[in-house]
Amino acid sequence: MFQVLLLFTVVLVVCVLKQTLFKRSKCRGNIPMAGKTVIITGGNTGIGKATALHLAKRGARVILACRNRNKAQAAITDIQQETGSTDVTYMHLDLASLKSVHCFCEQFLRTGSRLDLLINNAGLVGDGRTDDGFGMEFGVNHLGHFLLTSLLLERLKEAGGGRVVTVSSMAHRWGHIDFEVLAENKHLGTGSFSWQFFRAYCNSKLCNVLFTHELAKRLRGSDVTCYSVHPGIVRTELSRHVSLWQKVFIEPVAQFLFLDPEDGAQTTLHCCLQEGLEPLSGHYFSCCSVQEVAASARDDAVAQRLWEMLHWELCPFTVTPAAAVLSRCVSRGALTQELLDSASTRLNPSFSPQLQEAEQRIRMQKQLDELQLKVELLKLEKKSADVTHKFHLARRFQALETLCTHLQNLLKNQNNLRQRLLKPLGRTNLPIRADLHRFVVDLVTMLPNFIEKLEEMVTSLRCSPATEAHLAQLNTSLAQLLAQVVEVESLSDQVLCWQEGSRLSDDGTR
């Protein structure tokens, strides 16, 4: 009895799940696709491949934007065999590299081809970082598609009636956007455990829904519309990056309950092919019908903040459809006025608000750079002036010290000669007195030069308090020197008189 009850319960749960989480639907849309061009990211496998097959069967030109060439070529072969279409091509696109996204768009725009449908289908679950340092799930599931759509938006407008379909998930209901973490760490969750993978995946899918919500507002007034979809819980290669034991747990459940890629592609096809969806632009679809989204996915302020944050982060790539011009901007904020003028001449008038926004940001960045440069130059000038001042100050001190030494030597020599003058006068003293006279004459002659140099140095160093004591000492020494020079000069005159008197006395004796 217990076994029967348990079996009944299991069957009941499976039936409920089949009608809710794993409910199947069918696309009824019938918009003609002959002559139209479609880009599908991740179109080499799973939901993307099934979507590409249906659109190729309806006559569309399908471009598989994939990272793996071999898988893409295998998918093209399968699609061509089943549909007979020869207009399915491959273009390399790695959503984990912003440079690759930019190169893809530049190559596509250069062909001049029209664009009617952009299907942002690719996604993954896994840890790691993109080439640009963003979290892998955030970078591939959202950021790459954000940049791709921004670069191709003008081409969609040119075709008329273009649509952007972004594959999200019901997992967005458990997502959360932490802007501080995103700004600081460039991811919305990372880690090596399953719950960390799932949390980051939910956050990236919330970004998809918010992106579609904000894009619809920005497309008002144009004939381009956008939609986000939940494809259902589908057996795909989404979890190809998870560990082996996780695959062992997931695969049996997936084989028994999950939808196959054919069923998972129906809601995407509905948003591509259903007539009359234009009034529902920006809405979220599941099971080929509009569904309510979580409250966090309807927040206008969060959607706008996320858009603007990513727009500034990717500014050099997103401001223009003339991708070949702005691709030469390597670093953020490095747009020159000449380059901006060149780009503006190739923009459509409808794109001018984004150009003005870019111009304003460039001017602000330029002013900021100029201010920072001026501050650095002032700092360098101040350091240079300090070093130069200290160098010249040291040289002046050295010159003053040399002058002090000379003055002290003069004083010492003058004192020695003065003492010798005080000895008893005699004939042997006359040569010495004559030398003293010459010394005094030389000293009086060179003294004004010493005084002039000292006055110059006193004037130049007067502003420095540290030199006041030194200058006072020099002034004292100079005053002493002058006083004693006067005394020596007087004694020298007496010596000459005595010398002349002695000569006359000697002549009289002879």
Side-chain angles (χ1 to χ4, degrees), residues 60 74 171 236 271 315 353 416 458:
T236 66
C271 292
C315 182
N416 291 337
V458 168

Side-chain angles (χ1 to χ4, degrees), residues 336-452:
T336 64
Q337 190 62 42
E338 180 182 358
L339 181 60
L340 188 62
D341 293 340
S342 174
S344 64
T345 60
R346 301 171 63 179
L347 293 172
N348 292 333
S350 60
F351 212 67
S352 58
Q354 294 188 8
L355 176 61
Q356 293 171 1
E357 189 177 10
E359 288 177 336
Q360 183 180 5
R361 179 180 182 275
I362 292 164
R363 292 191 189 97
M364 293 174 62
Q365 184 67 37
K366 185 178 180 180
Q367 292 174 359
L368 179 61
D369 291 342
E370 289 176 351
L371 288 175
Q372 291 176 343
L373 181 60
K374 289 180 180 178
V375 170
E376 293 299 325
L377 287 175
L378 288 174
K379 289 180 180 178
L380 288 175
E381 288 177 0
K382 185 177 183 302
K383 289 182 180 179
S384 177
D386 291 344
V387 171
T388 304
H389 176 69
K390 291 178 180 178
F391 175 73
H392 289 302
L393 194 61
R395 295 191 64 180
R396 287 170 183 154
F397 274 124
Q398 185 178 4
L400 284 174
E401 290 172 357
T402 303
L403 272 176
C404 286
T405 303
H406 286 312
L407 290 173
Q408 290 170 0
N409 290 335
L410 288 172
L411 286 172
K412 182 178 179 182
N413 293 335
Q414 179 267 137
N415 288 332
N416 291 337
L417 291 172
R418 182 170 176 273
Q419 291 175 5
R420 296 170 70 177
L421 279 173
L422 295 177
K423 292 180 180 180
L425 295 176
R427 296 178 66 178
T428 57
N429 287 11
L430 292 178
I432 296 176
R433 289 167 185 159
D435 291 341
L436 176 61
H437 181 268
R438 285 193 298 271
F439 168 77
V440 171
V441 172
D442 292 340
L443 180 62
V444 172
T445 302
M446 64 188 299
L447 190 60
N449 294 330
F450 279 137
I451 294 173
E452 183 179 356

Side-chain angles (χ1 to χ4, degrees), residues 88-362:
V88 182
T89 59
Y90 157 77
M91 289 181 63
H92 180 267
L93 172 63
D94 184 0
L95 290 168
S97 168
L98 298 180
K99 181 179 179 181
S100 176
V101 176
H102 183 257
C103 290
F104 172 88
C105 294
E106 183 177 313
Q107 182 181 356
F108 176 78
L109 294 172
R110 195 184 299 121
T111 64
S113 172
R114 61 180 291 152
L115 180 60
D116 301 274
L117 273 176
L118 174 60
I119 304 175
N120 297 321
N121 167 82
L124 58 77
V125 175
D127 193 25
R129 293 277 182 172
T130 67
D131 292 352
D132 306 280
F134 294 93
M136 183 62 74
E137 288 180 292
F138 173 73
V140 172
N141 296 353
H142 177 64
L143 189 62
H145 287 130
F146 177 90
L147 176 58
L148 180 70
T149 305
S150 299
L151 291 174
L152 297 178
L153 203 54
E154 286 302 308
R155 188 57 58 88
L156 281 164
K157 292 178 180 179
E158 291 173 5
R163 295 185 180 186
V164 179
V165 180
T166 301
V167 178
S168 181
S169 170
M170 66 178 294
H172 80 273
R173 300 180 182 277
W174 303 289
H176 172 70
I177 309 297
D178 190 329
F179 288 100
E180 292 183 2
V181 172
L182 180 58
E184 182 176 355
N185 301 320
K186 302 177 76 171
H187 67 69
L188 287 175
T190 184
S192 56
F193 297 102
S194 301
W195 63 271
Q196 292 172 322
F197 286 164
F198 182 69
R199 183 179 64 183
Y201 178 77
C202 295
N203 295 340
S204 68
K205 291 304 170 180
L206 175 59
C207 290
N208 291 155
V209 180
L210 289 170
F211 164 69
T212 303
H213 179 75
E214 181 67 17
L215 179 61
K217 293 196 298 182
R218 294 173 181 264
L219 289 174
R220 287 172 185 168
S222 72
D223 56 358
V224 178
T225 55
C226 57
Y227 314 93
S228 60
V229 305
H230 168 55
I233 304 178
V234 186
R235 293 192 303 272
T236 66
E237 295 184 3
L238 180 69
S239 59
R240 58 188 177 276
H241 296 288
V242 303
S243 62
L244 179 61
W245 73 268
Q246 291 169 334
K247 289 182 180 180
V248 170
F249 174 76
I250 293 173
E251 286 301 324
V253 179
Q255 291 295 330
F256 184 66
L257 289 176
F258 289 8
L259 306 179
D260 58 35
E262 172 75 16
D263 293 325
Q266 296 304 308
T267 304
T268 302
L269 291 169
H270 174 80
C271 292
C272 294
L273 302 173
Q274 185 63 43
E275 302 89 340
L277 285 187
E278 288 75 15
L280 300 176
S281 179
H283 283 69
Y284 170 79
F285 286 75
S286 178
C287 295
C288 297
S289 61
V290 177
Q291 302 290 330
E292 280 293 321
V293 295
S296 57
R298 297 193 300 268
D299 193 321
D300 291 339
V302 173
Q304 181 178 359
R305 184 179 178 185
L306 179 64
W307 180 288
E308 291 177 350
M309 183 178 185
L310 298 183
H311 173 73
W312 293 133
E313 184 70 32
L314 306 175
C315 182
F317 298 103
T318 59
V319 294
T320 173
V325 176
L326 294 185
S327 65
R328 289 189 288 271
C329 301
V330 178
S331 59
R332 185 173 53 203
L335 294 173
T336 64
Q337 190 62 42
E338 180 182 358
L339 181 60
L340 188 62
D341 293 340
S342 174
S344 64
T345 60
R346 301 171 63 179
L347 293 172
N348 292 333
S350 60
F351 212 67
S352 58
Q354 294 188 8
L355 176 61
Q356 293 171 1
E357 189 177 10
E359 288 177 336
Q360 183 180 5
R361 179 180 182 275
I362 292 164

